[in-house]
Amino acid sequence: GSRNNTPPLAKGVGLFDTVREINCGRMAHFLVEQFEKTGPIYRLPIPFPMVVIVANTADARAIYKDPSHLKPSTIYTNIDELTHGPNIVSIAGKQGDSWHHRRKSINRAFAPKIVRRMNEVALEKAEIWISQTLVKDPDKSFNVAQEMILLTIMVICKAAFDYDTTQSEIKNMIHALEKGMEEFSYKTMLNPLRKFSTFLLADRREAYEEVAKIKRFAIKIIDHYRENPSPTPDTVIDVIMKNPNYKDDSERIPDIIVILFAGHDTTGYTMAFALLELAKHQDEQKKLCENLSRESSDGSYLEAVLNEVMRMHPSTPVTGVKQLSCDFVSS
């Protein structure tokens, strides 16, 4: 159709400026700057495909609620290499029973009573980390981002998969994940021809070796569940293993991997920045401690602190990507 009424281009930046800003770790701040210069809806200066940033809540909600607008396969199917097959993220761009039965089954593991149990696991692991890291040697410095990432994955492994992991296992998985993400989510997306040149690219072959370690880790989680005579009911691993719609473990493994790693970095870095900002602002730290120590505290002040941290240090530049199936008229 006609593109005479397409959103305006972002002001003051060209293609190379955009690519540089997106790839240098400033993507969130860059998008906010363009929002302030251009408005709540604007195009990035990328020739193909058309990339439109929607910072208008009403329009974004309307786009997400329309089931005809799907997740673009060009972005999400690259994750399949990392997870060793289609997963609940990459098949979300396709309609059908496959997506429905996986998502519906896993939703049970996030019922309110199960989330309360997850919170108890998170509190237990946090108390252990505090005693081993802060109380044991209070004067020793540490990498707060690295520690929060390790803690987050440790909590996910126990709360979602009923699996007690070690720090060495987690560090190996993080290294493997970084190598896999660099190749399959970044390099291959920017240059699709890489997938046909594996035999020529040493770094791509290395990425395959690293993601094989992630698969073996997922298999360990499955084996641990099967060997456990009394597994915790309604955990993520429990509902996955009991779901008869999975043909075999080859379909379970991708979902285990994507759930294990999907939110560890956003959660871990948000906690790290929260600790950093509270350390820099002692008065706010004192007010938060006093608020949480009251019996009448409803956690709203903690929520306000975390919201401010996420405003200052957004862990993800965009909430999601959709491919429009038809013209959309902004409200």
Side-chain angles (χ1 to χ4, degrees), residues 125 149-159 161-173 217 220-221 224 260-261:
K125 294 294 184 183
I149 290 290
L150 291 173
L151 177 60
T152 300
I153 296 179
M154 199 169 291
V155 169
I156 294 172
C157 283
K158 183 60 178 177
F161 299 106
D162 206 13
Y163 181 82
D164 285 304
T165 187
T166 65
Q167 284 206 2
S168 61
E169 274 185 317
I170 296 174
K171 288 178 179 178
N172 288 337
M173 289 305 100
F217 185 67
K220 283 183 68 174
I221 291 175
H224 178 266
L260 180 59
F261 293 113

Side-chain angles (χ1 to χ4, degrees), residues 21-22 25-33 313-318:
E21 293 295 318
I22 287 176
R26 287 194 70 255
M27 184 173 180
H29 298 285
F30 170 71
L31 296 179
V32 170
E33 289 167 3
H313 307 283
S315 57
T316 179
V318 292

Side-chain angles (χ1 to χ4, degrees), residues 6-11 13 27-45 50-55:
T6 53
L9 273 172
K11 295 180 179 178
V13 292
M27 184 173 180
H29 298 285
F30 170 71
L31 296 179
V32 170
E33 289 167 3
Q34 300 315 309
F35 161 74
E36 293 171 346
K37 292 179 182 178
T38 312
I41 301 179
Y42 60 90
R43 283 181 293 144
L44 293 180
M50 181 192 293
V51 178
V52 178
I53 305 300
V54 180

